[in-house]
Amino acid sequence: MPYLHEWSPALRESLPHLRLGSGPTPVRRLGALESGSPEIWLKDESGFGEGGWGGNKVRKLEWLLPDAKRRRRKTILTFGGLGTNWGLATALYGRDQDLHTALGLIDQPRDKHVETQLERLEASGATLHFTRTKNRTIALAPWLIARHSSGLRPPYILPSGGSSPLGSLGYVETAFEIVAQVRSGELPEPGHVVVPTGSGGTAAGLALGFGLAGIPTRVTGVIVTEHLKLDDHAIRRLAGKSASLLRRRGAEFPEPPLDLEMTSDWMGETYGAPTPESERAIERARAEGLELDPVYTGKAMAALLDKSEAGEFTAGPVLFLNTNGPR
Ligand SMILES: *Cc1c(COP(=O)(O)O)cnc(C)c1O
């Protein structure tokens, strides 16, 4: 049973859940990355999903796909860059649930990884619309919605990254999973959790989850894109909307504290552009048997290492979330 349903039995009927991966995902200490205190720990989300394929987007789909089914939608319409992990995860996991996926794709610099992702997207059966820019995507939205309606039923529309208030519950669930791992002694109680942030659902969900569980863990979101507003205010707002959703579905709880800070200091020039700091971090992590990517997790690890060396983690052990799926 999901932790959320255990926490509030009122949610069992009102909040459908579809198991797509098996938790708890593994945790281990990354001793070689430490420079004195604090301890650095890893929670590895990369194997979450059927056949070990997925990462953090699958956590969101566990709540989104059954909602789309319950609303009897036939098609999911969503958005991303040409190399979107989110779009690919939605297409593949949606297909298993008889849900078709339509994607509005915005340009991003094409490298080998992006080309490979595009091939996978084409093979996934999703309908691809190359809308090029954010403004053109917005202008074309009415046409896309009409094109992907079946009869009077509109498509199930999701924001890029799956970071709707419902999708973000995937990381409330993960925060509860982390708390269970702390209680069973697998992991010390983290003072800090560091995650890459591309659309905000991971950071917002975790902060809300720790708040609801009453654990004083601070979430640091390392922003990797300039395309969305992802500052403290935006992430707090998203977490607040997820909390309202839980209340509307029957959960009762006092106003949770949200301990989070967002930083864009490690983004570099633009989304997807490598930085020397992230290249160094990727190399150091590799020596610990941890494979990171240059777009998301490398930049988050660079922030973690720099902040750790600067003595900024004063609240105890730091937990790094490897959100990356295999590539
Ligand atoms: C999408 C993605 C993220 C960002 O998570 P958000 O919830 O969108 O902020 C981080 N890492 C990887 C590998 C991703 O694909």
Side-chain angles (χ1 to χ4, degrees):
M1 190 194 299
Y3 295 97
L4 263 165
H5 288 178
E6 230 166 86
W7 168 73
S8 173
L11 298 173
R12 282 177 201 173
E13 292 296 315
S14 61
L15 191 67
H17 178 261
L18 176 69
R19 175 82 51 217
L20 297 175
S22 49
T25 53
V27 291
R28 67 180 165 100
R29 190 169 169 181
L30 299 175
L33 297 184
E34 292 167 11
S35 44
S37 69
E39 289 181 12
I40 297 175
W41 285 72
L42 164 72
K43 182 172 174 68
D44 195 350
E45 295 278 279
S46 65
F48 191 86
E50 277 153 25
W53 190 89
N56 73 335
K57 301 310 181 311
V58 185
R59 294 273 196 184
K60 301 173 181 177
L61 289 168
E62 287 200 333
W63 304 93
L64 294 167
L65 294 182
D67 190 58
K69 292 293 279 186
R70 195 169 65 161
R71 293 170 194 272
R72 302 182 43 213
R73 303 301 167 90
K74 302 265 185 261
T75 298
I76 296 173
L77 171 62
T78 189
F79 310 93
L82 292 175
T84 175
N85 290 333
W86 160 244
L88 184 59
T90 306
L92 296 178
Y93 285 91
R95 194 173 66 185
D96 290 345
Q97 305 302 318
D98 291 323
L99 286 160
H100 181 71
T101 296
L103 295 170
L105 296 175
I106 291 167
D107 284 340
Q108 80 181 75
R110 286 183 181 231
D111 59 13
K112 213 168 131 265
H113 167 68
V114 171
E115 297 293 345
T116 313
Q117 281 288 96
L118 260 176
E119 282 166 24
R120 290 183 188 142
L121 282 170
E122 268 154 14
S124 74
T127 305
L128 309 184
H129 298 283
F130 295 92
T131 50
R132 311 288 310 262
T133 66
K134 191 171 163 179
N135 283 344
R136 279 196 75 221
T137 310
I138 293 167
L140 286 168
W143 180 82
L144 288 169
I145 293 168
R147 160 84 173 69
H148 292 289
S149 295
S150 32
L152 286 177
R153 221 177 281 282
Y156 190 75
I157 301 172
L158 286 171
S160 66
S163 291
S164 66
L166 181 63
S168 304
L169 295 185
Y171 275 87
V172 176
E173 175 75 8
T174 310
F176 286 3
E177 183 178 300
I178 291 169
V179 171
Q181 287 175 306
V182 169
R183 298 217 165 111
S184 73
E186 270 183 82
L187 181 74
E189 183 174 301
H192 304 265
V193 173
V194 178
V195 293
T197 295
S199 64
T202 304
L206 285 171
L208 176 58
F210 292 128
L212 293 173
I215 300 280
T217 297
R218 165 167 292 191
V219 176
T220 299
V222 181
I223 300 168
V224 302
T225 177
E226 71 278 30
H227 296 309
L228 294 172
K229 206 166 167 305
L230 296 166
D231 57 12
D232 285 35
H233 180 72
I235 304 302
R236 270 173 212 288
R237 234 175 87 105
L238 177 55
K241 285 184 180 176
S242 295
S244 303
L245 172 71
L246 288 171
R247 286 204 176 98
R248 279 202 309 278
R249 303 281 176 104
E252 288 174 26
F253 50 88
E255 201 51 36
L258 295 175
D259 194 355
L260 68 91
E261 55 160 6
M262 305 301 297
T263 171
S264 50
D265 291 354
W266 282 267
M267 182 171 80
E269 247 171 78
T270 181
Y271 175 70
T275 64
E277 293 80 9
S278 95
E279 279 169 8
R280 264 201 309 278
I282 289 170
E283 214 152 287
R284 285 183 61 189
R286 192 170 290 143
E288 267 277 22
L290 174 61
E291 232 7 88
L292 301 178
D293 75 282
V295 181
Y296 294 98
T297 50
K299 288 178 181 174
M301 181 57 91
L304 185 154
L305 294 173
D306 288 351
K307 281 172 156 292
S308 175
E309 272 151 38
E312 288 180 32
F313 294 127
T314 50
V318 188
L319 180 64
F320 178 77
L321 208 73
N322 182 23
T323 47
N324 196 21
R327 341 200 112 214

